[in-house]
Amino acid sequence: MPDPLPEPLFDALIARAGLPLTPAERDSVRAASRHIAALTERLRPQAQVALEPATVFRP
Amino acid sequence: MSGMGELPLGLAEAARLIAAKQLSPVELAECALTRAEARNPELHAFIRLTPDLALSQARAAEARQMSGALKGPLDGIPIGHKDIFETAGIPTTGHSRILADHVPAKDAAVVRAWAEAGAVTIGKTATHEFAWGGPSFDLPWPPARNPWDTTRFTGGSSTGAGAAVAAGLVLGATGSDTGGSIRGPAGLCGLAGIKPTYGLCSRSGVLPLAHSLDTTGPIAWTVEDCALLLQAMAGHDPEDPSSADRPVPDLISGLGGGVRGLRIGLIRHFHESDLVASPAVRAGVDHMAAVLRAEGAILSEVTLPPLLDFHAAGWLILMSEAHAVHEPWLRTRFHDYGEILRERLALATLVSAADYLQAQRQRRRLCQQVAAAMEGVDLLLTAAQPTEALPIDRVSKFASLESPGLTIPFNLTGQPALAVCTGFGEGGLPVGAQLIGRPFEDATVLRAGHAFERATAWRARRAA
């Protein structure tokens, strides 16, 4: 399992989202951020450069 | 019938009795309301009961019954609506403090559809907060409990629907399914529940969780009951941009056609190695495969991409889209959410736009791979849930991310997926399996599920 997001990055993303996390919430959510890292790591190696997303817009 | 009696065993049986004038819709509604009032303090299946509406609808159904003008099999049938389905003049809260005072002006399209078919609304059922945050103990209403063992979780997020149907308080209920929220409660409460093909049923007037994954569908005691309920809620709705503009399929006339010659692909790696389900769950899947084979189906094994690929794409999409839905309230009312949902949504804000698009690109590839795997089979079969229901106070805050789920793959692909009870586990609680079909072949899924239930005795066993 990957590490949680680095503290400066985590704090910047939470600040951008405008969330008033308590210290306990900050610890809990930052610990869980390793799940996000695991999910994104799982996808990235498989993406082919020309692969279209499943949400291609059709007017 | 009135008083603390038992409801008929299922919707189809009740419909036959009503059609034969052997069962009064008013007495049936009174019985359902009495049972719900008596059991709700323990089960918390309902956020609120709607006795005035129920009795008004039941009286109208009874008048149609007496005049020989019944609308069909849902006429006079007591049902519940998940409290993310908007109901005109009746609060629709999403089980959240955020919408505690929200009273919609009109019904959700599928609520209207069931009402027009004559269904009798007994109340609004509990849900995980906004269909994602639970089981939570810090919301205005407690979480629903499993009627098979009230110390246990119902599965979510259609928690109250599962509890109310399993306890015999109503004969069917609406659910929504974004990552498994119909099939989870159906599996853990010993019921049938179908996540229809994406686009088959309207989501207009239903509080969203993740727009590209959200579906609405029924939970009921039997597959036949689900078919009757789904028939009444399927169809194009121009107010829902995802709604498929195609004729309503006939889900009923072929229901009893059996499975002879149907080709069913067992995705054994999903529940035996990608995720190791409990022995009872695995035995239940094998039991279902054996029954369907004995009924004439042709079983084989298929291999799909690893469950973790579906898990990664599914949760990144769900979290991103849920963040978009909740962003305004997150900034202004963050601590009005329950602890579980606010921390899950806070986690969702960490997903980048690139992550979301990578997940949507992966989704396209997964859809193509599953479609290719289904070229040689008509249905897929795997487990519905990995275990029996857990103790309700032992469901972790980020449980969905800790191991891959068996249900979200078919939200990604949009395929119809039906959960059915395959027996009982080591702890005496229900276990279940899923049957999955090609898009818009919901009728085939229901036909196979019905064949299994007809060939087994699991539907005769009810929660105390």
Side-chain angles (χ1 to χ4, degrees):
Chain A
M1 181 63 74
D3 292 333
L5 290 185
E7 289 192 46
L9 175 58
F10 176 83
D11 290 338
L13 291 172
I14 292 296
R16 187 179 71 167
L19 306 186
L21 296 185
T22 65
E25 288 165 350
R26 179 184 179 278
D27 291 347
S28 172
V29 177
R30 181 167 173 266
S33 69
R34 61 199 173 92
H35 293 301
I36 303 291
L39 298 177
T40 55
E41 277 182 15
R42 182 88 195 173
L43 293 187
R44 285 232 157 69
Q46 301 181 24
Q48 299 162 354
V49 71
L51 188 64
E52 293 279 356
T55 52
V56 174
F57 177 68
R58 289 190 188 87
Chain B
M1 182 79 245
S2 59
M4 189 59 182
E6 299 284 328
L7 297 189
L9 198 53
L11 188 161
E13 180 191 345
R16 284 188 281 271
L17 292 171
I18 289 172
K21 298 187 180 177
Q22 294 172 358
L23 179 62
S24 153
V26 171
E27 290 187 13
L28 185 59
E30 288 172 345
C31 177
L33 286 164
T34 302
R35 287 183 60 80
E37 285 166 359
R39 298 296 307 278
N40 209 46
E42 174 192 25
L43 295 174
H44 309 298
F46 288 95
I47 282 184
R48 67 177 38 79
L49 297 173
T50 52
D52 292 345
L53 174 62
L55 292 173
S56 166
Q57 290 175 322
R59 282 192 286 269
E62 190 150 313
R64 290 189 292 273
Q65 179 193 41
M66 290 298 110
S67 63
L70 283 171
K71 293 178 171 184
L74 263 58
D75 212 349
I77 297 296
I79 53 88
H81 287 300
K82 184 176 182 177
D83 206 35
I84 63 168
F85 287 67
E86 294 201 319
T87 39
I90 298 167
T92 299
T93 68
H95 207 131
S96 178
R97 202 171 284 111
I98 302 269
L99 288 182
D101 301 318
H102 173 55
V103 182
K106 65 177 191 176
D107 287 334
V110 296
V111 169
R112 188 165 60 248
W114 279 13
E116 287 173 353
V120 172
T121 301
I122 297 300
K124 301 298 292 290
T125 59
T127 167
H128 284 345
E129 187 175 21
F130 288 114
W132 194 22
S136 294
F137 293 88
D138 59 349
L139 298 175
W141 306 271
R145 290 174 178 269
N146 195 317
W148 294 93
D149 177 347
T150 56
T151 69
R152 302 291 175 135
F153 183 38
T154 56
S157 66
S158 306
T159 55
V165 175
L169 312 184
V170 290
L171 296 174
T174 47
S176 64
D177 194 315
T178 306
S181 288
I182 288 174
R183 291 161 288 159
L188 295 184
C189 293
L191 304 171
I194 182 166
K195 181 205 84 67
T197 303
Y198 183 83
L200 183 67
C201 297
S202 174
R203 307 161 316 161
S204 172
V206 179
L207 303 175
L209 173 56
H211 288 98
S212 79
L213 301 167
D214 286 343
T215 54
T216 61
I219 295 178
W221 183 246
T222 69
V223 173
E224 182 183 16
D225 295 352
C226 281
L228 294 168
L229 290 162
L230 182 57
Q231 187 71 70
M233 65 194 288
H236 178 57
D237 176 9
E239 292 189 17
D240 176 354
S242 76
S243 179
D245 190 0
R246 51 193 298 151
V248 178
D250 178 356
L251 304 171
I252 307 301
S253 64
L255 190 65
V259 293
R260 184 158 302 284
L262 269 185
R263 300 162 302 166
I264 300 176
L266 177 59
I267 326 168
R268 193 177 289 283
H269 66 95
F270 266 21
H271 58 272
E272 291 198 356
S273 53
D274 294 1
L275 177 71
V276 181
S278 74
V281 169
R282 299 199 304 268
V285 177
D286 289 341
H287 163 59
M288 176 175 249
V291 168
L292 293 174
R293 183 183 289 114
E295 293 289 307
I298 301 158
L299 272 290
S300 61
E301 291 200 19
V302 299
T303 302
L304 298 185
L307 202 50
L308 273 172
D309 287 0
F310 294 94
H311 173 73
W315 281 100
L316 289 171
I317 292 168
L318 191 154
M319 287 193 287
S320 303
E321 295 183 3
H323 177 202
V325 168
H326 288 274
E327 188 178 30
W329 289 327
L330 282 175
R331 288 178 176 274
T332 58
R333 301 188 61 182
F334 185 66
H335 283 102
D336 284 342
Y337 289 100
E339 177 184 343
I340 288 178
L341 185 57
R342 72 173 177 263
E343 292 198 19
R344 288 179 182 175
L345 285 167
L347 189 68
T349 70
L350 307 178
V351 181
S352 74
D355 295 334
Y356 176 71
L357 279 165
Q358 296 290 17
Q360 288 286 17
R361 296 169 88 198
Q362 177 69 359
R363 180 184 197 174
R364 175 174 294 276
R365 186 158 72 174
L366 291 168
C367 288
Q368 291 166 342
Q369 290 171 323
V370 174
M374 288 201 72
E375 284 177 1
V377 296
D378 302 298
L379 293 169
L380 298 171
L381 170 62
T382 187
Q385 294 289 306
T387 64
E388 298 169 60
L390 294 173
I392 196 167
D393 55 359
R394 279 188 31 210
V395 180
S396 86
K397 199 180 291 180
F398 300 106
S400 300
L401 298 174
E402 289 164 358
S403 61
L406 292 157
T407 46
I408 203 167
F410 309 109
N411 296 89
L412 275 179
T413 62
Q415 294 169 267
L418 170 73
V420 293
C421 178
T422 56
F424 294 81
E426 297 84 351
L429 295 160
V431 294
Q434 285 183 93
L435 286 162
I436 302 100
R438 295 193 190 88
F440 297 103
E441 295 188 3
D442 303 63
T444 308
V445 174
L446 291 163
R447 178 157 56 99
H450 181 58
F452 172 75
E453 286 188 347
R454 203 170 47 181
T456 56
W458 300 118
R459 294 302 74 202
R461 184 165 163 184
R462 302 241 25 179

